[in-house]
Amino acid sequence: MTTIRQAITEAVERVKMPTPTRLRDLIRQIRAARTAAEERAVVNKECAYIRSTFRDEDSVWRCRNIAKLLYIHMLGYPAHFGQLECLKLTASPRFTDKRIGYLGAMLLLDERQDVHLLITNCLKNGVSDPFLQVKILRLLRILGHNDPDASEAMNDILAQVATNTETSKNVGNTILYETVLSIMDIRSEGGLRVLAVNILGRFLLNSDKNIRYVALNTLLRTVHADISAVQRHRATILECLKDPDVSIRRRAMELSFALINTQNIRIMTKELLVFLEKSDAEFKAQCNDVVSSTIQLISSSPVNEQTYITNKLWESLQVANHCEDKQPLLQVAVWSIGEYGDLFMNGNSNDGFEPPSEEELIALYQKFLTSVHVSITSKQYALVSLAKLST
């Protein structure tokens, strides 16, 4: 009965009140303006009318007026006076009103406005439509950015969304992903950031390759903010190096390099060397970053680790015709041998490694320099390495 009465009342109000200009008619009027002054006149007239409807508490045409105000905002004119009306629309039972209300709040509100707390309350009170949830989460991300107080107010609700969202369907994963981005972009608590990283870790196990790729990308952007939380998923990230999708392997490789530290350098180096050895032609075509990243990694390692890595790289060169098919591995190996020749040739290793004689070393380099299967770039690396060894 209440709904019927409300509908009848609104219908009567619509008859009593003059019908406002429709959005498409306003767009036509603005486009028809021949000068900037004419455009301003049209906009100012419409803004004055919209202000008057707000003062009169016109709830019948509020949605249409906010839609026009958002268009005016997109043209660069001030529209902040519509902030409170947007919040009124979010409290409406109609889906179309809610949609415009949240869109308007996202565009017109910023972190300096206290009304963002009302948006948080709206989310706490439930919004079942996924589209609206995503919009609200994006709005929270904007409002909480560099604002400790606003961020603190959001921590609980973001934790609830992160732990209670159903992930059996893609829409749930979308909401979770937006929640993760919001957590990472505001001044969130440490435990909440760990929860966000764990969600991304679960995404890495998803059968959908797009979800795996998005998770790796996000982890790569956030790894320096909370590297210890990402380290817990190192095994899963290394597994992604075996993914059939080349773009996923590439992101996994970049993330693996970012995770290397003095505690895990040996095991990570071993995994990355295996990865380089088995990398296919499609990946090798995009492999310049692999070589430079590996060289940077070795350069920043402790001396004993540099010796260990160089020894392992030398061993990888001993397989017949093996490294001629793996140019990135060959380039990194000869660079390391040339750079750390003294350590390599003096045999100061504790792992039982026996360094080669000068004759064995020269014979291998000669093989590479005369092989038609070794690229010009790899031969350049070998020549520079020989020059370093001779000094």
Side-chain angles (χ1 to χ4, degrees):
M1 286 297 293
T2 304
T3 305
I4 296 174
R5 287 176 186 171
Q6 183 182 359
I8 294 173
T9 302
E10 291 183 358
V12 172
E13 290 296 323
R14 287 177 187 272
V15 173
K16 287 182 180 179
M17 299 178 63
T19 305
T21 304
R22 293 176 300 181
L23 175 59
R24 59 175 175 269
D25 294 331
L26 176 63
I27 294 173
R28 288 196 192 100
Q29 292 176 28
I30 292 175
R31 288 180 176 175
R34 289 172 294 182
T35 65
E38 287 184 13
E39 179 183 294
R40 283 195 299 273
V42 174
V43 170
N44 289 338
K45 179 181 177 182
E46 189 61 35
C47 284
Y49 169 75
I50 292 174
R51 283 178 186 271
S52 69
T53 64
F54 290 167
R55 285 193 297 269
D56 295 339
E57 287 295 325
D58 171 18
S59 61
V60 177
W61 300 110
R62 183 178 287 131
C63 185
R64 177 181 291 188
N65 287 330
I66 289 296
K68 290 186 293 183
L69 197 59
L70 294 182
Y71 177 70
I72 290 170
H73 169 75
M74 289 168 61
L75 295 176
Y77 294 95
H80 60 278
F81 61 88
Q83 292 173 347
L84 193 57
E85 301 302 314
C86 291
L87 293 175
K88 291 177 182 178
L89 283 178
T90 63
S92 169
R94 292 192 190 87
F95 169 74
T96 51
D97 287 357
K98 283 184 179 291
R99 186 168 187 166
I100 291 295
Y102 282 116
L103 179 61
M106 188 170 70
L107 292 174
L108 301 183
L109 293 182
D110 58 46
E111 64 273 11
R112 296 186 296 270
Q113 307 299 327
D114 292 336
V115 288
H116 69 262
L117 295 174
L118 297 175
I119 289 288
T120 305
N121 289 333
C122 285
L123 184 58
K124 283 184 175 179
N125 292 332
V127 180
S128 59
D129 182 78
F131 172 84
L132 295 181
Q133 284 182 287
V134 168
K135 291 297 182 184
I136 294 170
L137 288 165
R138 290 178 182 173
L139 174 59
L140 292 179
R141 187 154 76 245
I142 295 169
L143 298 177
H145 186 67
N146 290 330
D147 189 329
D149 294 333
S151 298
E152 185 178 357
M154 298 173 190
N155 277 330
D156 286 346
I157 185 59
L158 289 173
Q160 290 178 35
V161 176
T163 53
N164 297 330
T165 300
E166 175 59 49
T167 58
S168 58
K169 296 181 181 179
N170 278 339
V171 66
N173 289 324
T174 301
I175 293 169
L176 268 185
Y177 179 64
E178 290 294 337
T179 305
V180 167
L181 293 183
S182 297
I183 291 171
M184 292 301 185
D185 216 33
I186 69 172
R187 301 285 185 86
S188 55
E189 298 171 349
L192 194 56
R193 298 181 76 85
V194 171
L195 177 60
V197 171
N198 289 343
I199 290 171
L200 294 174
R202 292 203 306 271
F203 280 177
L204 294 179
L205 300 173
N206 197 290
S207 58
D208 188 326
K209 67 178 181 180
N210 294 318
I211 292 177
R212 296 199 302 277
Y213 180 81
V214 164
L216 286 168
N217 249 350
T218 310
L219 286 170
L220 194 56
R221 293 202 307 268
T222 60
V223 63
H224 298 295
D226 200 338
I227 191 168
S228 59
V230 182
Q231 285 282 9
R232 297 189 184 102
H233 302 278
R234 191 173 68 230
T236 308
I237 293 166
L238 289 173
E239 278 299 309
C240 290
L241 292 172
K242 305 171 186 175
D243 196 284
D245 189 289
V246 64
S247 59
I248 290 178
R249 294 201 303 275
R250 187 176 183 82
R251 285 291 175 267
M253 177 202 70
E254 293 171 357
L255 184 55
S256 296
F257 278 116
L259 290 176
I260 293 176
N261 56 31
T262 54
Q263 285 75 42
N264 62 28
I265 187 169
R266 290 206 175 199
I267 187 170
M268 293 294 284
T269 301
K270 180 180 178 181
E271 292 288 345
L272 287 168
L273 282 174
V274 171
F275 169 66
L276 284 171
E277 290 172 359
K278 296 181 179 179
S279 59
D280 53 32
E282 183 181 7
F283 190 89
K284 284 190 290 183
Q286 309 172 17
C287 232
N288 289 335
D289 289 344
V290 176
V291 176
S292 59
S293 297
T294 307
I295 288 175
Q296 184 179 6
L297 162 66
I298 299 171
S299 300
S300 59
S301 301
V303 174
N304 63 317
E305 300 297 347
Q306 290 170 342
T307 305
Y308 172 81
I309 293 170
T310 305
N311 294 347
K312 292 300 179 184
L313 286 169
W314 168 260
E315 290 175 352
S316 70
L317 297 181
Q318 305 309 304
V319 182
N321 298 324
H322 179 70
C323 31
E324 293 182 17
D325 298 331
K326 310 295 180 185
Q327 301 296 306
L329 176 64
L330 173 56
Q331 292 165 18
V332 173
V334 295
W335 179 89
S336 297
I337 293 169
E339 190 71 16
Y340 308 112
D342 289 342
L343 297 172
F344 173 65
M345 296 300 291
N346 289 335
N348 296 325
S349 175
N350 297 323
D351 57 3
F353 174 80
E354 293 187 11
S357 64
E358 289 188 12
E359 291 76 14
E360 290 174 319
L361 188 65
I362 293 172
L364 190 64
Y365 272 72
Q366 184 178 14
K367 172 189 173 185
F368 293 148
L369 291 171
T370 57
S371 173
V372 295
H373 302 294
V374 174
S375 69
I376 296 296
T377 302
S378 296
K379 289 179 180 179
Q380 290 170 343
Y381 271 90
L383 286 171
V384 172
S385 176
L386 275 175
K388 289 179 180 179
L389 289 169
S390 64
T391 57

